[in-house]
mmCIF file of all heavy atoms in Angstrom:
data_model
loop_
_atom_site.group_PDB
_atom_site.id
_atom_site.type_symbol
_atom_site.label_atom_id
_atom_site.label_comp_id
_atom_site.label_asym_id
_atom_site.label_seq_id
_atom_site.Cartn_x
_atom_site.Cartn_y
_atom_site.Cartn_z
ATOM 1 N N GLN X 1 1.081 3.230 -2.636
ATOM 2 C CA GLN X 1 1.487 1.934 -3.180
ATOM 3 C C GLN X 1 2.750 2.076 -4.023
ATOM 4 O O GLN X 1 3.549 1.146 -4.114
ATOM 5 C CB GLN X 1 0.358 1.346 -4.022
ATOM 6 C CG GLN X 1 0.625 -0.065 -4.514
ATOM 7 C CD GLN X 1 -0.463 -0.576 -5.428
ATOM 8 O OE1 GLN X 1 -1.355 0.171 -5.830
ATOM 9 N NE2 GLN X 1 -0.424 -1.845 -5.775
ATOM 10 N N ALA X 2 2.928 3.242 -4.634
ATOM 11 C CA ALA X 2 4.127 3.522 -5.431
ATOM 12 C C ALA X 2 4.324 5.029 -5.464
ATOM 13 O O ALA X 2 3.408 5.771 -5.842
ATOM 14 C CB ALA X 2 4.001 2.968 -6.850
ATOM 15 N N SER X 3 5.511 5.482 -5.093
ATOM 16 C CA SER X 3 5.798 6.919 -5.061
ATOM 17 C C SER X 3 5.813 7.491 -6.466
ATOM 18 O O SER X 3 6.476 6.957 -7.359
ATOM 19 C CB SER X 3 7.149 7.171 -4.386
ATOM 20 O OG SER X 3 7.589 8.501 -4.608
ATOM 21 N N ASN X 4 5.105 8.607 -6.650
ATOM 22 C CA ASN X 4 5.068 9.236 -7.970
ATOM 23 C C ASN X 4 6.374 9.929 -8.316
ATOM 24 O O ASN X 4 6.597 10.296 -9.466
ATOM 25 C CB ASN X 4 3.919 10.260 -8.038
ATOM 26 C CG ASN X 4 4.238 11.550 -7.303
ATOM 27 O OD1 ASN X 4 4.647 11.528 -6.138
ATOM 28 N ND2 ASN X 4 4.045 12.679 -7.959
ATOM 29 N N THR X 5 7.254 10.115 -7.334
ATOM 30 C CA THR X 5 8.524 10.796 -7.568
ATOM 31 C C THR X 5 9.709 9.834 -7.523
ATOM 32 O O THR X 5 10.594 9.882 -8.382
ATOM 33 C CB THR X 5 8.738 11.899 -6.513
ATOM 34 O OG1 THR X 5 7.629 12.796 -6.556
ATOM 35 C CG2 THR X 5 10.023 12.675 -6.774
ATOM 36 N N LEU X 6 9.725 8.943 -6.555
ATOM 37 C CA LEU X 6 10.864 8.046 -6.358
ATOM 38 C C LEU X 6 10.664 6.690 -7.025
ATOM 39 O O LEU X 6 11.633 5.954 -7.216
ATOM 40 C CB LEU X 6 11.116 7.836 -4.860
ATOM 41 C CG LEU X 6 11.324 9.112 -4.040
ATOM 42 C CD1 LEU X 6 11.436 8.773 -2.559
ATOM 43 C CD2 LEU X 6 12.559 9.862 -4.516
ATOM 44 N N GLY X 7 9.434 6.353 -7.343
ATOM 45 C CA GLY X 7 9.151 5.034 -7.916
ATOM 46 C C GLY X 7 9.099 3.926 -6.886
ATOM 47 O O GLY X 7 8.811 2.777 -7.227
ATOM 48 N N THR X 8 9.394 4.228 -5.631
ATOM 49 C CA THR X 8 9.437 3.223 -4.571
ATOM 50 C C THR X 8 8.091 2.529 -4.434
ATOM 51 O O THR X 8 7.041 3.171 -4.407
ATOM 52 C CB THR X 8 9.793 3.875 -3.222
ATOM 53 O OG1 THR X 8 11.032 4.566 -3.365
ATOM 54 C CG2 THR X 8 9.898 2.840 -2.120
ATOM 55 N N ARG X 9 8.139 1.200 -4.336
ATOM 56 C CA ARG X 9 6.938 0.409 -4.077
ATOM 57 C C ARG X 9 7.105 -0.275 -2.720
ATOM 58 O O ARG X 9 7.675 -1.360 -2.632
ATOM 59 C CB ARG X 9 6.705 -0.615 -5.189
ATOM 60 C CG ARG X 9 6.327 0.015 -6.500
ATOM 61 C CD ARG X 9 5.836 -0.989 -7.519
ATOM 62 N NE ARG X 9 6.937 -1.696 -8.145
ATOM 63 C CZ ARG X 9 6.820 -2.356 -9.299
ATOM 64 N NH1 ARG X 9 5.662 -2.396 -9.926
ATOM 65 N NH2 ARG X 9 7.857 -2.977 -9.819
ATOM 66 N N PRO X 10 6.618 0.349 -1.658
ATOM 67 C CA PRO X 10 6.803 -0.232 -0.326
ATOM 68 C C PRO X 10 6.088 -1.581 -0.203
ATOM 69 O O PRO X 10 5.103 -1.844 -0.893
ATOM 70 C CB PRO X 10 6.173 0.805 0.618
ATOM 71 C CG PRO X 10 6.048 2.058 -0.185
ATOM 72 C CD PRO X 10 5.882 1.626 -1.604
ATOM 73 N N ASP X 11 6.602 -2.409 0.689
ATOM 74 C CA ASP X 11 5.919 -3.649 1.041
ATOM 75 C C ASP X 11 4.765 -3.268 1.964
ATOM 76 O O ASP X 11 4.958 -3.017 3.158
ATOM 77 C CB ASP X 11 6.888 -4.607 1.737
ATOM 78 C CG ASP X 11 6.239 -5.962 2.034
ATOM 79 O OD1 ASP X 11 5.066 -6.164 1.663
ATOM 80 O OD2 ASP X 11 6.910 -6.808 2.652
ATOM 81 N N LEU X 12 3.561 -3.207 1.414
ATOM 82 C CA LEU X 12 2.436 -2.627 2.142
ATOM 83 C C LEU X 12 1.789 -3.572 3.139
ATOM 84 O O LEU X 12 1.200 -3.113 4.121
ATOM 85 C CB LEU X 12 1.376 -2.136 1.159
ATOM 86 C CG LEU X 12 1.723 -0.898 0.346
ATOM 87 C CD1 LEU X 12 0.512 -0.472 -0.473
ATOM 88 C CD2 LEU X 12 2.173 0.250 1.240
ATOM 89 N N ARG X 13 1.841 -4.862 2.914
ATOM 90 C CA ARG X 13 1.107 -5.763 3.794
ATOM 91 C C ARG X 13 1.560 -5.644 5.257
ATOM 92 O O ARG X 13 0.701 -5.569 6.159
ATOM 93 C CB ARG X 13 1.222 -7.206 3.304
ATOM 94 C CG ARG X 13 0.316 -8.171 4.077
ATOM 95 C CD ARG X 13 -1.145 -7.719 4.046
ATOM 96 N NE ARG X 13 -1.946 -8.407 5.034
ATOM 97 C CZ ARG X 13 -2.735 -9.448 4.761
ATOM 98 N NH1 ARG X 13 -2.826 -9.904 3.516
ATOM 99 N NH2 ARG X 13 -3.428 -10.023 5.708
ATOM 100 N N PRO X 14 2.868 -5.584 5.559
ATOM 101 C CA PRO X 14 3.258 -5.375 6.960
ATOM 102 C C PRO X 14 2.775 -4.043 7.524
ATOM 103 O O PRO X 14 2.429 -3.962 8.708
ATOM 104 C CB PRO X 14 4.791 -5.430 6.914
ATOM 105 C CG PRO X 14 5.116 -6.194 5.685
ATOM 106 C CD PRO X 14 4.047 -5.840 4.707
ATOM 107 N N VAL X 15 2.731 -3.000 6.699
ATOM 108 C CA VAL X 15 2.235 -1.696 7.148
ATOM 109 C C VAL X 15 0.761 -1.801 7.507
ATOM 110 O O VAL X 15 0.309 -1.299 8.558
ATOM 111 C CB VAL X 15 2.450 -0.635 6.044
ATOM 112 C CG1 VAL X 15 1.792 0.683 6.437
ATOM 113 C CG2 VAL X 15 3.938 -0.431 5.778
ATOM 114 N N ILE X 16 -0.002 -2.454 6.650
ATOM 115 C CA ILE X 16 -1.435 -2.606 6.890
ATOM 116 C C ILE X 16 -1.696 -3.472 8.119
ATOM 117 O O ILE X 16 -2.569 -3.167 8.943
ATOM 118 C CB ILE X 16 -2.112 -3.176 5.630
ATOM 119 C CG1 ILE X 16 -2.054 -2.133 4.502
ATOM 120 C CG2 ILE X 16 -3.547 -3.597 5.908
ATOM 121 C CD1 ILE X 16 -2.410 -2.665 3.147
ATOM 122 N N ASP X 17 -0.919 -4.537 8.255
ATOM 123 C CA ASP X 17 -1.081 -5.401 9.427
ATOM 124 C C ASP X 17 -0.789 -4.648 10.722
ATOM 125 O O ASP X 17 -1.484 -4.831 11.731
ATOM 126 C CB ASP X 17 -0.160 -6.615 9.313
ATOM 127 C CG ASP X 17 -0.620 -7.602 8.236
ATOM 128 O OD1 ASP X 17 -1.782 -7.497 7.791
ATOM 129 O OD2 ASP X 17 0.189 -8.467 7.841
ATOM 130 N N GLU X 18 0.234 -3.798 10.711
ATOM 131 C CA GLU X 18 0.560 -3.003 11.900
ATOM 132 C C GLU X 18 -0.560 -2.018 12.227
ATOM 133 O O GLU X 18 -0.894 -1.796 13.391
ATOM 134 C CB GLU X 18 1.880 -2.259 11.696
ATOM 135 C CG GLU X 18 3.124 -3.103 11.908
ATOM 136 C CD GLU X 18 3.268 -3.555 13.360
ATOM 137 O OE1 GLU X 18 3.086 -2.719 14.267
ATOM 138 O OE2 GLU X 18 3.546 -4.744 13.566
ATOM 139 N N ALA X 19 -1.127 -1.415 11.190
ATOM 140 C CA ALA X 19 -2.242 -0.496 11.410
ATOM 141 C C ALA X 19 -3.409 -1.219 12.063
ATOM 142 O O ALA X 19 -4.000 -0.745 13.044
ATOM 143 C CB ALA X 19 -2.667 0.134 10.084
ATOM 144 N N HIS X 20 -3.737 -2.387 11.536
ATOM 145 C CA HIS X 20 -4.854 -3.146 12.080
ATOM 146 C C HIS X 20 -4.568 -3.629 13.505
ATOM 147 O O HIS X 20 -5.498 -3.771 14.312
ATOM 148 C CB HIS X 20 -5.163 -4.340 11.166
ATOM 149 C CG HIS X 20 -5.745 -3.934 9.851
ATOM 150 N ND1 HIS X 20 -5.814 -4.785 8.762
ATOM 151 C CD2 HIS X 20 -6.298 -2.757 9.447
ATOM 152 C CE1 HIS X 20 -6.382 -4.160 7.755
ATOM 153 N NE2 HIS X 20 -6.675 -2.925 8.131
ATOM 154 N N ARG X 21 -3.314 -3.869 13.802
ATOM 155 C CA ARG X 21 -2.947 -4.349 15.148
ATOM 156 C C ARG X 21 -3.370 -3.362 16.227
ATOM 157 O O ARG X 21 -3.744 -3.768 17.332
ATOM 158 C CB ARG X 21 -1.434 -4.600 15.212
ATOM 159 C CG ARG X 21 -0.938 -5.143 16.546
ATOM 160 C CD ARG X 21 0.563 -5.349 16.529
ATOM 161 N NE ARG X 21 1.290 -4.105 16.291
ATOM 162 C CZ ARG X 21 1.559 -3.212 17.245
ATOM 163 N NH1 ARG X 21 1.151 -3.401 18.488
ATOM 164 N NH2 ARG X 21 2.233 -2.109 16.938
ATOM 165 N N VAL X 22 -3.322 -2.059 15.915
ATOM 166 C CA VAL X 22 -3.705 -1.048 16.908
ATOM 167 C C VAL X 22 -5.115 -0.528 16.670
ATOM 168 O O VAL X 22 -5.543 0.454 17.276
ATOM 169 C CB VAL X 22 -2.692 0.123 16.929
ATOM 170 C CG1 VAL X 22 -1.314 -0.358 17.338
ATOM 171 C CG2 VAL X 22 -2.654 0.851 15.582
ATOM 172 N N GLY X 23 -5.845 -1.164 15.748
ATOM 173 C CA GLY X 23 -7.220 -0.768 15.502
ATOM 174 C C GLY X 23 -7.397 0.388 14.541
ATOM 175 O O GLY X 23 -8.493 0.969 14.466
ATOM 176 N N ALA X 24 -6.341 0.746 13.799
ATOM 177 C CA ALA X 24 -6.429 1.838 12.830
ATOM 178 C C ALA X 24 -6.865 1.301 11.472
ATOM 179 O O ALA X 24 -6.746 0.105 11.183
ATOM 180 C CB ALA X 24 -5.086 2.547 12.702
ATOM 181 N N ILE X 25 -7.365 2.183 10.614
ATOM 182 C CA ILE X 25 -7.675 1.805 9.242
ATOM 183 C C ILE X 25 -6.481 2.132 8.353
ATOM 184 O O ILE X 25 -5.708 3.054 8.633
ATOM 185 C CB ILE X 25 -8.945 2.492 8.715
ATOM 186 C CG1 ILE X 25 -8.771 4.012 8.658
ATOM 187 C CG2 ILE X 25 -10.157 2.109 9.544
ATOM 188 C CD1 ILE X 25 -9.882 4.725 7.909
ATOM 189 N N ALA X 26 -6.333 1.373 7.282
ATOM 190 C CA ALA X 26 -5.234 1.565 6.339
ATOM 191 C C ALA X 26 -5.789 2.097 5.022
ATOM 192 O O ALA X 26 -6.675 1.480 4.419
ATOM 193 C CB ALA X 26 -4.492 0.259 6.107
ATOM 194 N N VAL X 27 -5.259 3.239 4.597
ATOM 195 C CA VAL X 27 -5.688 3.894 3.364
ATOM 196 C C VAL X 27 -4.511 3.887 2.390
ATOM 197 O O VAL X 27 -3.416 4.330 2.736
ATOM 198 C CB VAL X 27 -6.139 5.338 3.631
ATOM 199 C CG1 VAL X 27 -6.572 6.010 2.330
ATOM 200 C CG2 VAL X 27 -7.263 5.367 4.658
ATOM 201 N N VAL X 28 -4.734 3.390 1.182
ATOM 202 C CA VAL X 28 -3.660 3.265 0.195
ATOM 203 C C VAL X 28 -3.940 4.167 -1.000
ATOM 204 O O VAL X 28 -5.030 4.128 -1.583
ATOM 205 C CB VAL X 28 -3.502 1.803 -0.276
ATOM 206 C CG1 VAL X 28 -2.436 1.706 -1.378
ATOM 207 C CG2 VAL X 28 -3.131 0.904 0.890
ATOM 208 N N ASP X 29 -2.941 4.989 -1.353
ATOM 209 C CA ASP X 29 -2.969 5.780 -2.582
ATOM 210 C C ASP X 29 -2.450 4.889 -3.704
ATOM 211 O O ASP X 29 -1.262 4.585 -3.763
ATOM 212 C CB ASP X 29 -2.090 7.021 -2.414
ATOM 213 C CG ASP X 29 -1.927 7.802 -3.714
ATOM 214 O OD1 ASP X 29 -2.535 7.428 -4.739
ATOM 215 O OD2 ASP X 29 -1.172 8.795 -3.709
ATOM 216 N N GLY X 30 -3.354 4.480 -4.594
ATOM 217 C CA GLY X 30 -2.965 3.556 -5.652
ATOM 218 C C GLY X 30 -2.783 4.189 -7.012
ATOM 219 O O GLY X 30 -2.739 3.480 -8.018
ATOM 220 N N CYS X 31 -2.649 5.515 -7.070
ATOM 221 C CA CYS X 31 -2.601 6.196 -8.370
ATOM 222 C C CYS X 31 -1.496 5.669 -9.271
ATOM 223 O O CYS X 31 -1.712 5.446 -10.464
ATOM 224 C CB CYS X 31 -2.452 7.700 -8.160
ATOM 225 S SG CYS X 31 -3.994 8.514 -7.720
ATOM 226 N N GLN X 32 -0.299 5.501 -8.724
ATOM 227 C CA GLN X 32 0.803 4.961 -9.529
ATOM 228 C C GLN X 32 0.795 3.434 -9.509
ATOM 229 O O GLN X 32 1.105 2.788 -10.512
ATOM 230 C CB GLN X 32 2.145 5.479 -9.002
ATOM 231 C CG GLN X 32 2.333 6.975 -9.101
ATOM 232 C CD GLN X 32 2.478 7.456 -10.533
ATOM 233 O OE1 GLN X 32 2.851 6.701 -11.423
ATOM 234 N NE2 GLN X 32 2.174 8.716 -10.763
ATOM 235 N N GLY X 33 0.458 2.861 -8.366
ATOM 236 C CA GLY X 33 0.529 1.410 -8.227
ATOM 237 C C GLY X 33 -0.446 0.663 -9.118
ATOM 238 O O GLY X 33 -0.135 -0.420 -9.621
ATOM 239 N N VAL X 34 -1.625 1.243 -9.344
ATOM 240 C CA VAL X 34 -2.630 0.512 -10.114
ATOM 241 C C VAL X 34 -2.194 0.304 -11.553
ATOM 242 O O VAL X 34 -2.568 -0.690 -12.188
ATOM 243 C CB VAL X 34 -3.998 1.249 -10.051
ATOM 244 C CG1 VAL X 34 -3.992 2.514 -10.901
ATOM 245 C CG2 VAL X 34 -5.138 0.324 -10.446
ATOM 246 N N VAL X 35 -1.387 1.198 -12.085
ATOM 247 C CA VAL X 35 -0.917 1.070 -13.467
ATOM 248 C C VAL X 35 0.476 0.450 -13.542
ATOM 249 O O VAL X 35 0.884 -0.034 -14.588
ATOM 250 C CB VAL X 35 -0.938 2.447 -14.174
ATOM 251 C CG1 VAL X 35 0.157 3.366 -13.652
ATOM 252 C CG2 VAL X 35 -0.843 2.288 -15.687
ATOM 253 N N HIS X 36 1.205 0.457 -12.438
ATOM 254 C CA HIS X 36 2.533 -0.174 -12.398
ATOM 255 C C HIS X 36 2.473 -1.371 -11.451
ATOM 256 O O HIS X 36 2.925 -1.319 -10.318
ATOM 257 C CB HIS X 36 3.598 0.816 -11.918
ATOM 258 C CG HIS X 36 3.838 1.957 -12.859
ATOM 259 N ND1 HIS X 36 4.306 1.774 -14.145
ATOM 260 C CD2 HIS X 36 3.680 3.296 -12.708
ATOM 261 C CE1 HIS X 36 4.426 2.947 -14.742
ATOM 262 N NE2 HIS X 36 4.048 3.887 -13.895
ATOM 263 N N GLY X 37 1.867 -2.447 -11.921
ATOM 264 C CA GLY X 37 1.822 -3.661 -11.114
ATOM 265 C C GLY X 37 0.426 -4.105 -10.735
ATOM 266 O O GLY X 37 0.206 -5.271 -10.421
ATOM 267 N N GLY X 38 -0.540 -3.188 -10.728
ATOM 268 C CA GLY X 38 -1.907 -3.564 -10.406
ATOM 269 C C GLY X 38 -2.119 -3.786 -8.918
ATOM 270 O O GLY X 38 -1.232 -3.530 -8.097
ATOM 271 N N VAL X 39 -3.308 -4.282 -8.558
ATOM 272 C CA VAL X 39 -3.642 -4.440 -7.148
ATOM 273 C C VAL X 39 -4.664 -5.550 -6.960
ATOM 274 O O VAL X 39 -5.503 -5.791 -7.834
ATOM 275 C CB VAL X 39 -4.202 -3.121 -6.563
ATOM 276 C CG1 VAL X 39 -5.537 -2.760 -7.206
ATOM 277 C CG2 VAL X 39 -4.351 -3.205 -5.052
ATOM 278 N N ASP X 40 -4.541 -6.224 -5.817
ATOM 279 C CA ASP X 40 -5.556 -7.158 -5.332
ATOM 280 C C ASP X 40 -5.915 -6.664 -3.939
ATOM 281 O O ASP X 40 -5.191 -6.902 -2.974
ATOM 282 C CB ASP X 40 -4.992 -8.584 -5.277
ATOM 283 C CG ASP X 40 -6.019 -9.607 -4.806
ATOM 284 O OD1 ASP X 40 -6.987 -9.216 -4.121
ATOM 285 O OD2 ASP X 40 -5.847 -10.806 -5.095
ATOM 286 N N VAL X 41 -7.031 -5.937 -3.826
ATOM 287 C CA VAL X 41 -7.356 -5.285 -2.556
ATOM 288 C C VAL X 41 -7.659 -6.303 -1.458
ATOM 289 O O VAL X 41 -7.429 -6.036 -0.278
ATOM 290 C CB VAL X 41 -8.524 -4.284 -2.710
ATOM 291 C CG1 VAL X 41 -8.093 -3.080 -3.522
ATOM 292 C CG2 VAL X 41 -9.748 -4.950 -3.322
ATOM 293 N N LYS X 42 -8.161 -7.467 -1.844
ATOM 294 C CA LYS X 42 -8.432 -8.484 -0.825
ATOM 295 C C LYS X 42 -7.137 -9.045 -0.253
ATOM 296 O O LYS X 42 -7.005 -9.238 0.954
ATOM 297 C CB LYS X 42 -9.299 -9.594 -1.415
ATOM 298 C CG LYS X 42 -10.725 -9.152 -1.705
ATOM 299 C CD LYS X 42 -11.580 -10.319 -2.171
ATOM 300 C CE LYS X 42 -13.021 -9.883 -2.393
ATOM 301 N NZ LYS X 42 -13.876 -11.009 -2.862
#
């Protein structure tokens, strides 16, 4: 969700949608993101 080195916060929803399109599961590392911006998993 947020790079611990670069600070980059990718736009995750399109990534997750693409994963679901092919039947894959999407796993998010929220270690940095949860404290820098928070999260709504739904």
Side-chain angles (χ1 to χ4, degrees):
Q1 186 184 8
S3 167
N4 76 309
T5 303
L6 305 175
T8 304
R9 292 191 281 198
D11 184 2
L12 289 186
R13 188 55 195 260
V15 173
I16 292 167
D17 289 345
E18 280 294 314
H20 291 165
R21 182 181 61 82
V22 297
I25 63 169
V27 180
V28 176
D29 173 3
C31 281
Q32 297 291 337
V34 73
V35 72
H36 294 298
V39 66
D40 181 337
V41 291
K42 290 185 177 180

